[in-house]
Amino acid sequence: MSKRKPYVRPMDGWWKKNPYFIEYMIHEGTALFVAAYAFVLLCGLWRLSQGEAAWNGFMAALQSPLALLFHLILLAMIGYHGYTWFKIMPRTLPPVIIGGRRVSAAAITAGGFAATLLASLALLGIVWGISQ
């Protein structure tokens, strides 16, 4: 009696064989947390459309310890997603040439972080000005 080996699909775990692909798959997995936060915002918009009582209920639910923990997890995962996005950016762009020289990957990543920081500060300033 011969023992038959179980069929193993050749592509199972392909991404586990290369650290670059592991990081890429984690990056793509964190996109689910971005979608989850978009869903939270959509729920908030829906509750806002239902009136003041529904909005106040939504805001009260966001202040529960479980909701705060959920948002801390979302913040960490979205932060990691953004970090890895900027880290991957130099590999996905065509070569950037300034002054006849190719811009380094580190400069592209730093530029992305700087642009995000400036845009975030500008948005914070606008919102702060509106709320005063």
Side-chain angles (χ1 to χ4, degrees):
M1 181 181 251
S2 69
K3 290 186 177 183
R4 292 178 62 178
K5 292 183 181 177
Y7 176 71
V8 178
R9 295 190 310 233
M11 292 301 289
D12 281 353
W14 62 267
W15 57 275
K16 295 178 187 175
K17 297 177 177 124
N18 184 329
Y20 171 76
F21 290 125
I22 292 171
E23 184 179 2
Y24 176 77
M25 293 302 281
I26 292 170
H27 167 79
E28 292 303 311
T30 58
L32 297 173
F33 292 91
V34 175
Y37 191 66
F39 182 72
V40 169
L41 292 176
L42 188 61
C43 287
L45 187 60
W46 177 55
R47 297 302 280 178
L48 182 61
S49 74
Q50 294 177 325
E52 186 177 350
W55 173 252
N56 290 337
F58 176 74
M59 292 302 292
L62 289 180
Q63 295 173 10
S64 75
L66 190 59
L68 292 174
L69 176 64
F70 178 65
H71 277 81
L72 282 174
I73 292 168
L74 287 176
L75 178 64
M77 293 296 109
I78 291 170
Y80 182 78
H81 183 81
Y83 166 74
T84 57
W85 190 86
F86 285 119
K87 202 169 149 193
I88 292 170
M89 192 169 47
R91 297 181 212 164
T92 60
L93 286 174
V96 178
I97 310 295
I98 296 178
R101 302 190 72 168
R102 186 175 184 165
V103 177
S104 71
I108 292 171
T109 300
F113 279 125
T116 300
L117 180 63
L118 288 174
S120 297
L121 289 174
L123 183 59
L124 179 64
I126 291 168
V127 171
W128 187 273
I130 290 172
S131 67
Q132 296 299 321

